[in-house]
Amino acid sequence: MGRPLKIIVAIDGPAGSGKSTVSKIVAKKLALLYIDTGAMYRALTLKAMRLGLNLEDEDALVSLAKSSRISLEEKDKLNVFLDGEDVSLAIRTPDVTANVKYIARVPGVRHEMVALQRSIGQKYGGAILEGRDIGTVVFPNADYKFYLDASPEERAKRRCKELIESGEAVSELSVKKDILTRDNSDMKRSVGALKRCDDAIFIDTTDLSIDGVAEKILSYICA
Ligand code: CDP
């Protein structure tokens, strides 16, 4: 039996806006494939760090993107594979998070990643993709586009909770500083910058529960 809905749903927004959790819930409800595009940039960052590449060397990073195999596999949870190795946990470390901006700002790298994201989305017919440039670059003709945001304080609180649960000792203040720095580089890069496009439905998630946001998104799609 095929997937019932052949739609592309784009979810963009900054760190801690609730994209990942909500996307997973919506994907499950609608039996759509879930594509975490941030995980792909993270996987490449991990590989560049392991190889000790100069993160300012754009040519080396583009070659890396062209020669790497990145794939996502959904079982109980989403597993991220890099050249056949499961790197789902390794891509979430603070070092990878701090360095991903060097990889995500390179136009040639983005070109490779966008092509990969489009081919996965098209192959499966229906998918929900979350990231920074899904509605603007990857699938500008997506059937539904959402832009999620929340106050920096709330986003820091959520991210801090996640990090503490995964065993990292962090303070809300340092997490807030980190996500504001990342927002800044995500919004200012020359290609694939994070921006709220006019045709995306804007949802401020500051005072909403995860289920509340998921219901809101589902109410638009199932209207
Ligand atoms: O989960 P979190 O919001 O911390 O980040 P992520 O979605 O895992 O993405 C990590 C980083 O990858 C972001 O800060 C962006 O710099 C980059 N990214 C991107 O450039 N384009 C995307 N479509 C997705 C992520």
Side-chain angles (χ1 to χ4, degrees):
M1 205 175 79
R3 290 177 185 269
L5 279 180
K6 295 274 182 193
I7 54 169
I8 296 285
V9 181
I11 306 211
D12 290 304
S17 55
K19 299 184 307 287
S20 306
T21 325
V22 164
S23 299
K24 282 179 212 157
I25 296 173
V26 174
K28 205 166 200 160
K29 277 249 154 69
L30 300 178
L32 293 171
L33 180 75
Y34 164 58
I35 305 176
D36 174 359
T37 63
M40 298 179 173
Y41 291 95
R42 286 175 176 273
L44 268 190
T45 305
L46 175 70
K47 186 165 175 185
M49 288 166 61
R50 282 178 172 174
L51 292 173
L53 293 188
N54 174 0
L55 300 184
E56 309 268 353
D57 183 345
E58 297 204 355
D59 291 341
L61 295 175
V62 176
S63 301
L64 186 79
K66 286 184 197 274
S67 60
S68 300
R69 275 184 302 121
I70 297 173
S71 59
L72 305 176
E73 281 179 29
E74 263 177 308
K75 285 197 187 117
D76 293 342
K77 59 184 183 57
L78 186 83
N79 291 312
V80 185
F81 287 87
L82 170 66
D83 299 326
E85 177 194 347
D86 186 344
V87 293
S88 312
L89 286 178
I91 60 168
R92 304 283 164 198
T93 63
D95 280 354
V96 171
T97 304
N99 284 327
V100 72
K101 64 172 181 277
Y102 295 104
I103 278 69
R105 71 184 180 185
V106 180
V109 169
R110 299 199 72 85
H111 182 80
E112 295 300 317
M113 292 298 104
V114 168
L116 179 61
Q117 291 152 15
R118 282 186 186 142
S119 76
I120 305 176
Q122 278 154 359
K123 190 167 142 204
Y124 284 87
I128 178 161
L129 297 95
E130 57 115 338
R132 305 293 190 283
D133 59 343
I134 309 303
T136 51
V137 178
V138 184
F139 282 109
N141 297 320
D143 298 280
Y144 297 93
K145 296 184 188 182
F146 297 93
Y147 187 97
L148 271 46
D149 206 346
S151 71
E153 290 71 26
E154 178 61 26
R155 292 192 286 124
K157 207 164 112 188
R158 292 173 186 167
R159 188 45 56 95
C160 194
K161 190 165 168 266
E162 275 170 22
L163 288 167
I164 289 173
E165 279 168 6
S166 69
E168 300 281 342
V170 287
S171 74
E172 248 171 68
L173 205 64
S174 70
V175 174
K176 184 173 158 193
K177 212 170 134 232
D178 163 58
I179 61 177
L180 290 178
T181 308
R182 213 138 52 89
D183 286 358
N184 191 48
S185 54
D186 282 341
M187 287 172 174
K188 296 224 170 103
R189 67 174 161 246
S190 62
V191 284
L194 171 65
K195 63 169 179 273
R196 186 178 149 184
C197 55
D198 292 340
D199 57 351
I201 296 161
F202 178 78
I203 303 178
D204 182 343
T205 72
T206 309
D207 297 316
L208 291 174
S209 67
I210 288 294
D211 286 339
V213 181
E215 268 165 35
K216 227 179 187 12
I217 290 179
L218 286 164
S219 74
Y220 282 103
I221 298 176
C222 302

